[in-house]
């Protein structure tokens, strides 16, 4: 019997936070995505956080550059801040901007722990899957072999490229997430991924991306 796949989820973006100022050099609109992003599949056993961050940043900057906005630069401290949150969401199977972990309960806490200086900051989070279900109905699976209900075709695993592209498309469909991606004062970003090896979908993905000026 066919079952309906849970729709790809993202929570409302966190509002701006104001504190001390910071600056950073902008990125480039002429960057290209590594070919390995399109060839490597996403797996909990061999996560490449750098490749994932590069792929997400690439598609975020495509959206910004298409609108004449300054592209964002990758920031290691922001990556460190998101790594804790994406891992915690995956470990405990929840999606939120707030955590129950002491010292990391809010975006402000996580940025402080990662020693991030900023005037304004935001966060996008999302839930997806290791397999590229594309929000379509799937049939029952055996040993992580899924098929689309309408065509019978095999559901492929996400590559880093396809997952990043789907996430940015999803965020751009949400006004609050879109506003973070296109906020003109942001200059830095960092994104990481966590995977919960749930039995239903053979890998649920939890993502956090932080933005600052």
């Amino acid at each position: 019997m066919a079952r309906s796949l849970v729709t790809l989820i993202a929570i409302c973006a966190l509002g701006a936070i104001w504190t001390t100022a910071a600056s950073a050099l902008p990125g480039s609109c002429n960057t290209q995505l590594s070919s390995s992003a399109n060839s490597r599949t996403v797996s909990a056993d061999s996560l490449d956080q750098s490749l994932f961050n590069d792929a997400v940043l690439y598609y975020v900057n495509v959206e910004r550059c298409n609108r004449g906005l300054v592209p964002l630069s990758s920031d290691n401290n922001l990556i460190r801040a998101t790594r804790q949150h994406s891992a915690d969401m995956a470990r405990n199977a929840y999606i939120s901007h707030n955590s129950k972990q002491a010292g990391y309960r809010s975006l402000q806490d996580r940025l402080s722990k990662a020693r991030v200086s900023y005037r304004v900051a935001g966060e996008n989070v999302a839930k997806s899957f290791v397999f590229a279900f594309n929000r379509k109905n799937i049939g029952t699976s055996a040993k992580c072999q899924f098929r689309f209900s309408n065509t019978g075709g095999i559901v492929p695993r996400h590559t880093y490229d396809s997952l990043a592209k789907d996430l940015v498309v999803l965020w751009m469909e949400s006004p609050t997430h879109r506003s973070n991606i296109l906020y003109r004062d942001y200059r830095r970003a960092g994104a990481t991924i966590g995977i919960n090896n749930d039995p239903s979908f053979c890998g649920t993905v939890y993502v956090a991306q932080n933005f600052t000026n």
Side-chain angles (χ1 to χ4, degrees), residues 6-200:
V6 177
T7 301
L8 201 62
I9 300 170
I11 302 297
C12 293
L14 190 69
I17 304 162
W18 298 89
T19 179
T20 56
S23 62
L25 293 175
S28 170
C29 285
N30 298 319
T31 58
Q32 293 184 342
L33 189 57
S34 167
S35 60
S36 60
N38 193 47
S39 60
R40 286 190 58 186
T41 56
V42 177
S43 170
D45 298 327
S46 58
L47 275 181
D48 189 327
Q49 298 287 8
S50 179
L51 188 58
F52 177 74
N53 175 68
D54 289 347
V56 172
L57 187 63
Y58 172 81
Y59 285 108
V60 164
N61 280 338
V62 166
E63 298 294 344
R64 290 178 65 88
C65 291
N66 283 344
R67 293 163 177 81
L69 298 172
V70 174
L72 305 179
S73 296
S74 178
D75 185 275
N76 288 333
N77 287 340
L78 289 178
I79 292 172
R80 184 159 53 249
T82 61
R83 188 187 296 267
Q84 185 281 332
H85 193 44
S86 60
D88 187 60
M89 288 192 295
R91 183 167 52 250
N92 296 290
Y94 74 96
I95 179 166
S96 174
H97 294 290
N98 300 312
S99 168
K100 293 182 179 180
Q101 187 172 359
Y104 300 91
R105 297 185 187 280
S106 67
L107 173 59
Q108 297 98 314
D109 291 340
R110 295 187 288 274
L111 293 177
S112 177
K113 287 284 188 181
R115 301 175 182 267
V116 178
S117 298
Y118 61 98
R119 180 176 55 85
V120 60
E123 179 177 73
N124 284 349
V125 295
K127 175 181 176 181
S128 185
F129 304 95
V130 168
F131 284 84
F133 297 119
N134 297 326
R135 290 176 270 183
K136 297 179 180 178
N137 288 345
I138 58 170
T140 55
S141 68
K143 296 182 179 180
C144 298
Q145 295 292 318
F146 299 96
R147 291 185 179 272
F148 291 112
S149 296
N150 59 339
T151 65
I154 295 174
V155 179
R157 279 181 173 267
H158 265 303
T159 64
Y160 283 89
D161 174 88
S162 67
L163 178 60
K165 186 175 183 179
D166 281 359
L167 288 167
V168 174
V169 168
L170 172 72
W171 282 331
M172 289 297 290
E173 292 174 351
S174 163
T176 49
H177 297 83
R178 178 187 176 96
S179 66
N180 266 342
I181 290 173
L182 301 181
Y183 187 59
R184 65 176 56 252
D185 288 347
Y186 287 151
R187 292 295 182 270
R188 300 177 288 163
T192 56
I193 181 177
I195 296 179
N196 182 303
N197 283 320
D198 65 282
S200 298

